Coordinates of all heavy atoms in Angstrom, one line a residue:
A1 N -6.3 -7.6 -12.4 CA -6.9 -8.9 -12.7 C -7.3 -9.0 -14.1 O -7.5 -8.0 -14.8 CB -8.1 -9.2 -11.8
P2 N -7.4 -10.3 -14.7 CA -7.8 -10.4 -16.1 C -9.1 -9.7 -16.4 O -10.1 -9.9 -15.6 CB -7.9 -11.9 -16.3 CG -6.9 -12.5 -15.3 CD -7.1 -11.5 -14.1
G3 N -9.2 -9.0 -17.4 CA -10.4 -8.3 -17.8 C -10.7 -7.0 -17.0 O -11.8 -6.4 -17.2
K4 N -9.9 -6.6 -16.1 CA -10.1 -5.4 -15.3 C -9.0 -4.5 -15.5 O -7.8 -4.8 -15.9 CB -10.2 -5.8 -13.8 CG -11.4 -6.7 -13.5 CD -11.5 -7.0 -12.0 CE -11.9 -5.7 -11.3 NZ -12.0 -6.0 -9.8
E5 N -9.2 -3.2 -15.3 CA -8.2 -2.2 -15.3 C -7.3 -2.3 -14.1 O -7.6 -2.8 -13.1 CB -8.9 -0.8 -15.4 CG -9.7 -0.5 -16.6 CD -10.2 0.9 -16.6 OE1 -10.2 1.6 -15.6 OE2 -10.7 1.4 -17.7
R6 N -6.1 -1.7 -14.3 CA -5.1 -1.7 -13.2 C -5.7 -0.8 -12.1 O -6.3 0.3 -12.4 CB -3.8 -1.1 -13.7 CG -2.7 -1.1 -12.7 CD -1.4 -0.5 -13.3 NE -1.6 0.8 -13.8 CZ -0.8 1.4 -14.6 NH1 0.2 0.8 -15.1 NH2 -1.1 2.7 -15.0
E7 N -5.5 -1.2 -10.9 CA -6.1 -0.5 -9.8 C -5.1 -0.2 -8.7 O -4.3 -1.1 -8.4 CB -7.2 -1.4 -9.1 CG -7.8 -0.9 -7.8 CD -8.7 -1.9 -7.1 OE1 -8.4 -3.1 -7.3 OE2 -9.6 -1.5 -6.5
Q8 N -5.0 1.0 -8.3 CA -4.1 1.3 -7.2 C -4.7 0.8 -5.9 O -5.8 0.9 -5.5 CB -3.8 2.8 -7.0 CG -2.7 3.1 -6.0 CD -2.6 4.6 -5.7 OE1 -3.0 5.5 -6.4 NE2 -2.0 4.9 -4.5
V9 N -3.8 0.1 -5.1 CA -4.2 -0.5 -3.9 C -3.8 0.3 -2.7 O -4.6 0.5 -1.7 CB -3.6 -1.9 -3.7 CG1 -4.0 -2.6 -2.4 CG2 -4.1 -2.8 -4.9
S10 N -2.6 0.8 -2.7 CA -2.1 1.5 -1.5 C -0.9 2.4 -1.9 O -0.3 2.1 -3.0 CB -1.7 0.6 -0.4 OG -1.3 1.3 0.8
C11 N -0.5 3.3 -1.1 CA 0.8 4.0 -1.3 C 1.3 4.5 0.0 O 0.5 4.6 1.0 CB 0.6 5.2 -2.3 SG -0.3 6.6 -1.8
L12 N 2.6 4.8 0.0 CA 3.2 5.3 1.2 C 4.3 6.3 0.8 O 5.1 6.1 -0.1 CB 3.9 4.2 2.0 CG 4.8 4.5 3.2 CD1 4.0 5.1 4.3 CD2 5.6 3.3 3.6
G13 N 4.2 7.5 1.4 CA 5.3 8.5 1.2 C 6.3 8.3 2.3 O 6.0 8.4 3.5
I14 N 7.6 8.1 1.9 CA 8.6 7.8 2.8 C 9.0 8.9 3.7 O 9.2 8.8 4.9 CB 9.9 7.3 2.1 CG1 9.6 6.0 1.3 CG2 11.0 7.0 3.0 CD1 9.1 4.8 2.1
S15 N 9.0 10.1 3.1 CA 9.4 11.3 3.9 C 8.2 11.9 4.7 O 8.3 12.1 5.9 CB 9.9 12.4 3.0 OG 10.3 13.5 3.7
D16 N 7.1 12.1 4.1 CA 5.9 12.7 4.8 C 5.0 11.7 5.5 O 4.1 12.1 6.2 CB 5.1 13.6 3.8 CG 4.4 12.8 2.7 OD1 4.5 11.6 2.7 OD2 3.8 13.4 1.8
R17 N 5.3 10.4 5.3 CA 4.5 9.4 6.0 C 3.1 9.3 5.6 O 2.2 8.8 6.3 CB 4.7 9.5 7.5 CG 6.1 9.6 8.0 CD 7.0 8.5 7.5 NE 6.6 7.2 7.9 CZ 7.1 6.1 7.4 NH1 8.0 6.1 6.5 NH2 6.6 4.9 7.9
S18 N 2.7 9.9 4.4 CA 1.4 9.8 4.0 C 1.0 8.4 3.6 O 1.9 7.6 3.1 CB 1.2 10.8 2.8 OG 2.0 10.4 1.7
V19 N -0.2 8.0 3.8 CA -0.7 6.6 3.5 C -2.0 6.7 2.9 O -2.9 7.6 3.2 CB -0.8 5.8 4.8 CG1 -1.4 4.4 4.5 CG2 0.6 5.6 5.4
W20 N -2.3 5.8 1.9 CA -3.6 5.8 1.3 C -3.9 4.3 0.9 O -3.1 3.5 0.6 CB -3.6 6.6 0.0 CG -4.9 6.6 -0.8 CD1 -6.0 7.4 -0.6 CD2 -5.3 5.6 -1.8 NE1 -7.0 7.0 -1.5 CE2 -6.6 6.0 -2.2 CE3 -4.6 4.6 -2.4 CZ2 -7.2 5.3 -3.2 CZ3 -5.3 3.9 -3.4 CH2 -6.5 4.2 -3.8
Y21 N -5.2 4.0 1.1 CA -5.7 2.7 0.7 C -7.0 2.8 -0.1 O -7.8 3.7 0.2 CB -6.1 1.8 1.9 CG -4.9 1.6 2.9 CD1 -4.7 2.3 4.0 CD2 -4.1 0.5 2.7 CE1 -3.7 2.1 4.9 CE2 -3.0 0.2 3.5 CZ -2.8 1.0 4.6 OH -1.8 0.8 5.5
T22 N -7.2 2.0 -1.1 CA -8.4 1.9 -1.8 C -9.5 1.3 -0.8 O -9.2 0.5 0.1 CB -8.3 1.1 -3.1 OG1 -9.5 1.3 -3.9 CG2 -8.1 -0.4 -2.8
D23 N -10.7 1.7 -1.0 CA -11.8 1.3 -0.1 C -11.9 -0.2 0.1 O -12.2 -0.7 1.2 CB -13.1 1.9 -0.6 CG -13.3 3.4 -0.4 OD1 -12.4 4.0 0.3 OD2 -14.2 4.0 -1.0
S24 N -11.7 -1.0 -1.0 CA -11.9 -2.4 -0.9 C -10.9 -3.1 0.0 O -11.2 -4.3 0.4 CB -11.9 -3.0 -2.3 OG -10.7 -2.8 -2.9
V25 N -9.8 -2.5 0.3 CA -8.8 -3.2 1.1 C -8.6 -2.5 2.5 O -7.9 -3.1 3.3 CB -7.5 -3.3 0.4 CG1 -7.6 -3.9 -1.0 CG2 -6.7 -2.0 0.3
E26 N -9.1 -1.4 2.7 CA -8.9 -0.6 3.9 C -9.4 -1.5 5.1 O -10.5 -2.0 5.0 CB -9.5 0.7 3.9 CG -9.1 1.6 5.1 CD -9.4 3.1 4.8 OE1 -10.1 3.4 3.8 OE2 -8.9 3.9 5.6
G27 N -8.6 -1.6 6.1 CA -9.0 -2.4 7.3 C -8.4 -3.8 7.2 O -8.4 -4.5 8.2
R28 N -8.1 -4.3 6.0 CA -7.5 -5.6 5.7 C -6.0 -5.6 5.4 O -5.3 -6.5 5.7 CB -8.3 -6.4 4.6 CG -9.8 -6.6 5.0 CD -10.4 -7.5 3.9 NE -10.4 -6.9 2.6 CZ -9.8 -7.5 1.5 NH1 -9.2 -8.6 1.7 NH2 -9.9 -6.9 0.3
F29 N -5.6 -4.6 4.6 CA -4.2 -4.4 4.2 C -3.6 -3.3 4.9 O -4.2 -2.3 5.3 CB -4.2 -4.1 2.7 CG -4.6 -5.2 1.7 CD1 -5.3 -6.3 2.2 CD2 -4.4 -5.0 0.4 CE1 -5.7 -7.3 1.3 CE2 -4.9 -6.0 -0.5 CZ -5.5 -7.2 0.0
T30 N -2.3 -3.5 5.2 CA -1.4 -2.5 5.8 C -0.1 -2.3 5.1 O 0.6 -3.3 4.9 CB -1.2 -2.9 7.3 OG1 -2.4 -3.1 8.0 CG2 -0.4 -1.8 8.0
I31 N 0.2 -1.1 4.8 CA 1.5 -0.8 4.1 C 2.4 -0.3 5.2 O 2.1 0.5 6.1 CB 1.3 0.2 3.0 CG1 2.5 0.3 2.1 CG2 0.8 1.6 3.5 CD1 2.3 1.1 0.8
S32 N 3.7 -0.7 5.1 CA 4.7 -0.3 6.0 C 6.1 -0.2 5.3 O 6.2 -0.7 4.2 CB 4.8 -1.2 7.2 OG 5.1 -2.5 6.9
S33 N 7.1 0.3 6.0 CA 8.4 0.4 5.4 C 9.5 0.1 6.3 O 9.3 0.3 7.6 CB 8.6 1.8 4.8 OG 8.6 2.8 5.8
D34 N 10.6 -0.3 5.8 CA 11.9 -0.4 6.5 C 12.9 0.5 5.8 O 13.4 0.2 4.7 CB 12.3 -1.9 6.5 CG 13.6 -2.1 7.3 OD1 14.4 -1.1 7.4 OD2 13.8 -3.2 7.8
S35 N 13.1 1.7 6.4 CA 13.9 2.7 5.7 C 15.3 2.2 5.5 O 16.0 2.5 4.4 CB 13.9 4.0 6.5 OG 14.4 3.8 7.8
A36 N 15.9 1.5 6.4 CA 17.3 1.0 6.3 C 17.4 0.1 5.1 O 18.5 0.1 4.4 CB 17.7 0.3 7.6
K37 N 16.4 -0.8 4.8 CA 16.4 -1.7 3.7 C 15.9 -1.2 2.4 O 15.9 -1.9 1.4 CB 15.7 -3.0 4.1 CG 16.3 -3.7 5.3 CD 15.5 -5.0 5.6 CE 16.2 -5.8 6.7 NZ 15.4 -7.0 7.0
K38 N 15.3 0.0 2.5 CA 14.7 0.6 1.3 C 13.6 -0.3 0.8 O 13.5 -0.6 -0.4 CB 15.7 1.0 0.2 CG 16.8 1.9 0.6 CD 16.3 3.3 0.8 CE 17.5 4.2 1.1 NZ 17.1 5.6 1.3
T39 N 12.8 -0.8 1.7 CA 11.8 -1.9 1.4 C 10.5 -1.4 1.9 O 10.4 -0.9 3.0 CB 12.2 -3.2 1.9 OG1 13.5 -3.6 1.4 CG2 11.2 -4.3 1.6
V40 N 9.4 -1.7 1.1 CA 8.1 -1.4 1.5 C 7.3 -2.7 1.5 O 7.5 -3.6 0.6 CB 7.4 -0.4 0.7 CG1 5.9 -0.3 1.0 CG2 8.0 1.0 0.9
Y41 N 6.4 -2.9 2.5 CA 5.7 -4.2 2.6 C 4.2 -3.9 2.5 O 3.7 -2.8 2.9 CB 6.0 -4.8 4.0 CG 7.4 -5.0 4.3 CD1 8.2 -4.1 5.0 CD2 8.1 -6.2 3.8 CE1 9.5 -4.3 5.3 CE2 9.4 -6.4 4.1 CZ 10.1 -5.4 4.8 OH 11.5 -5.6 5.0
L42 N 3.5 -4.9 2.0 CA 2.0 -4.8 2.0 C 1.5 -6.1 2.7 O 1.6 -7.2 2.2 CB 1.5 -4.7 0.6 CG 0.0 -4.6 0.5 CD1 -0.5 -3.2 1.1 CD2 -0.5 -4.8 -0.9
Q43 N 1.1 -6.0 4.0 CA 0.5 -7.1 4.7 C -1.0 -7.2 4.3 O -1.7 -6.2 4.5 CB 0.7 -6.9 6.2 CG 0.1 -8.0 7.0 CD 0.2 -7.7 8.5 OE1 1.1 -7.1 9.0 NE2 -0.7 -8.3 9.3
M44 N -1.4 -8.3 3.8 CA -2.7 -8.6 3.4 C -3.4 -9.6 4.2 O -2.9 -10.8 4.2 CB -2.7 -9.0 1.9 CG -1.9 -8.0 1.0 SD -2.0 -8.5 -0.8 CE -1.1 -10.0 -0.7

């Protein structure tokens, strides 16, 4: 956001299925993947 540092929101490891969320979005955002499409989604 303007005037703020870049912030990591979430991540997903395709192979190990590891997932991480920053505290401010946990419970509201969900990261998921479609391996066939090589696509990752962030539902907010």
Side-chain angles (χ1 to χ4, degrees):
K4 299 183 66 177
E5 294 183 347
R6 185 180 61 198
E7 173 191 32
Q8 188 189 339
V9 177
S10 183
C11 68
L12 173 66
I14 299 300
S15 180
D16 65 3
R17 311 306 300 169
S18 60
V19 174
W20 179 89
Y21 301 95
T22 193
D23 288 345
S24 63
V25 309
E26 190 161 11
R28 299 189 296 121
F29 291 10
T30 303
I31 191 168
S32 62
S33 66
D34 183 332
S35 59
K37 296 181 178 180
K38 304 289 187 181
T39 301
V40 171
Y41 306 94
L42 185 68
Q43 180 181 332
M44 305 184 295

